[in-house]
Amino acid sequence: MEYTLLPKGFYSCAKKLGIKDNTPDFTVIYSEARAAAAAMFTKNQFCGAPVTVGKEHIKDGFLQAFVINSKNANVATGKQGIEDVHTIISAVADELSISSSDILPSSTGVIGVPLPVKKITEGIPGLKSELKKDGLKDSAEAIMTTDTFAKYRSETIGGVTLCAIAKGSGMIEPNMATMLSYIMTDAQIEPEALKAILNRAVNVSFNMVSIDGDTSTSDTVAAMANGLAGPVDLQKFEQVLTDMLISLTKDLARDGEGATKLVEVQITGAQNDEEAKVMAKSIINSPLVKTAIFGADPNWGRIISTIGNAEYSINVEKVSVSFGDIAVFSDGEPTDSNLEELANYLKGDEITISISLGNGQGKATGWGCDLSYDYVKINGEYTT
Amino acid sequence: MEYTLLPKGFYSCAKKLGIKDNTPDFTVIYSEARAAAAAMFTKNQFCGAPVTVGKEHIKDGFLQAFVINSKNANVATGKQGIEDVHTIISAVADELSISSSDILPSSTGVIGVPLPVKKITEGIPGLKSELKKDGLKDSAEAIMTTDTFAKYRSETIGGVTLCAIAKGSGMIEPNMATMLSYIMTDAQIEPEALKAILNRAVNVSFNMVSIDGDTSTSDTVAAMANGLAGPVDLQKFEQVLTDMLISLTKDLARDGEGATKLVEVQITGAQNDEEAKVMAKSIINSPLVKTAIFGADPNWGRIISTIGNAEYSINVEKVSVSFGDIAVFSDGEPTDSNLEELANYLKGDEITISISLGNGQGKATGWGCDLSYDYVKINGEYTT
């Protein structure tokens, strides 16, 4: 129960408005005090209408509410899409007696289908009376699409509370932000500091996960800090936030569409961190690697092939590859590893692949999942 | 029968040496005259041992034989891998009384497993007497791995004959070359001219197909022109070769691992051809697009999202998208297309997606396939 409590001065409600089916599909997360805020958005050029509006509203560094619907992304909906966003957030602003420019809107779900605006606006009057202190889990559920479980975290740092929710299961390879994640804290932090901390934490967490290599049109991660619990040690805050977002990132990967395994790829010895990141992503995104892991097939040669496709120069004689503690390739030569032992390791539900390039100090860790029959099923039948 | 005849002076044989199972796994394609030759190879830095040797042997612009085994790629096999190649081609050179430096070797199959050299060398003595004129189809069969049908073509240009074989079904996104393809002609063409023609033809054919976005370690396309039928109109030759390679490219896509549909993506109106190529590849490689096509799910928003992820600037208000004759998005706005009609179109076995960017004269056509349950099955159980 305690775990679903929001930070001081934050309230939320979750509703079933029938946008696509009868599951929770709409949530409002509200701060009684106007809050310092920061956000990062998708780099997809066909970004959703709510992303366009949200980018405007975050500019002054303050927000007072997140308004999020699932089951429809309001993307590729033309000019009508933008009008629909304004209609909805104006109704919420009236209901809560706040400025609509202090609202960050988000939508996630199918692309290219007009938002059922009437269903949404009809659900808004009276919403203020439904707001509650312990709504963290309910809000996390209301933003789910193909997710199979709600993703939320809560931590305290001295007298300060930090909460976050996230969703995402397909069309996941965040580029500067992830599908949807919202962070609420009662700590007192200036907008600029919040923005810098958020950027650094997202770069080693959400920006290092890929389910399918497709960057979504709706990616948004946004934070509000309303200051009601006073100041916080910023270094400590950043560490807790980073760990929290990495933990949520692993949830996203574990809950990737059709996934049966969480895959962690650790790169060391790259020339720099950027090259390590690109390689971690290329391993995580290889359908040949993903299907071999799904089938627990000890076909480590597919890792070798993916490494060899790097756009930068690899010293092939220094490359080593391990699965868990099992070294399969060492300094450019195959080891006499036991393939049966490797196949057994691959039957587990958390797989770690470590790659050492022997070229420098660059390193990165990325997360992904396997590619299963259910991935094909989920994505072959998404709109039908 | 006629169709499996090789050009003048070419002979081949195909054998079952038991490299992995009891299917054809070894072929030698031999020209009685030393032939002008050209080849293109994978850019994968972990290229196979035969690729390393082949790059040396093609340098002087002449070859006399292709020696190819399937079921084992001889990749990531260290120094032993290179020695194994030399052992095999020396034995073939002795048998055929030619120079081993006029042999281009290739291997395709599993990565990281030592080549069973003894099985291969034992199969070579007496091979000369098995060489035959009508071995085109047999050779095409002997180079197959997960392919489900043999891929071969034969055309005449005046008195000249042009034949080609190809294989490839997975780990296919050729980068300057494709999995394996061999071209034989009795036309008289200088090595430099042959190389230029081959490069141009491959760039609009094999280099525009992707099954899974993974560039193989063994990609090789090589041509021999032995001149025994005399000169040829080079422009005409290039046109026939280009059409032949595009036709084989479509075979590769149609026979992609687990594929049920051939997908053709036509990009027009890009700023230049290079940007058009990159976009065609990104659509073809999107697992979300591929699974939607497999499931005949009219989820055209996934095309929009993939377009929006281009690394170069898109004028979203000028973008139009059609499936066959069905326009779903026009000048940045959704059309009132009939989704049922689109779903019906997607049930066909050849899908054409046309994208107009309205930004310039750049264009490209690419080929791929859908992503099915069988893709997961084939790749989850490859080595087991």
Side-chain angles (χ1 to χ4, degrees), chain A residues 97-108:
Chain A
S97 308
I98 63 175
S99 162
S100 73
S101 67
D102 283 336
I103 294 177
L104 185 134
S106 296
S107 298
T108 179

Side-chain angles (χ1 to χ4, degrees), chain A residues 1-8 10 12 29 66 133-137 139-140 151-157 160-166 181-187 194 198 206 221-225 237 240-241 244-245 248:
Chain A
M1 186 61 168
E2 184 65 20
Y3 199 59
T4 71
L5 268 186
L6 289 155
K8 284 193 189 77
F10 282 97
S12 81
I29 302 173
F66 300 135
K133 287 288 312 158
D134 61 347
L136 185 67
K137 187 183 176 194
S139 288
K151 299 165 183 78
Y152 56 102
R153 294 288 188 282
S154 181
E155 295 287 346
T156 55
I157 308 149
V160 156
T161 301
L162 172 64
C163 293
I165 62 175
S181 179
Y182 304 90
I183 297 149
M184 289 71 68
T185 181
D186 45 24
L194 186 63
L198 184 66
F206 294 134
V221 50
M224 282 198 277
F237 180 89
V240 173
L241 176 66
M244 182 179 281
L245 297 191
L248 283 167

Side-chain angles (χ1 to χ4, degrees), chain A residues 310-321:
Chain A
E311 290 191 0
Y312 49 89
S313 180
I314 300 293
N315 189 341
V316 299
E317 285 166 17
K318 287 193 183 168
V319 172
S320 299
V321 178

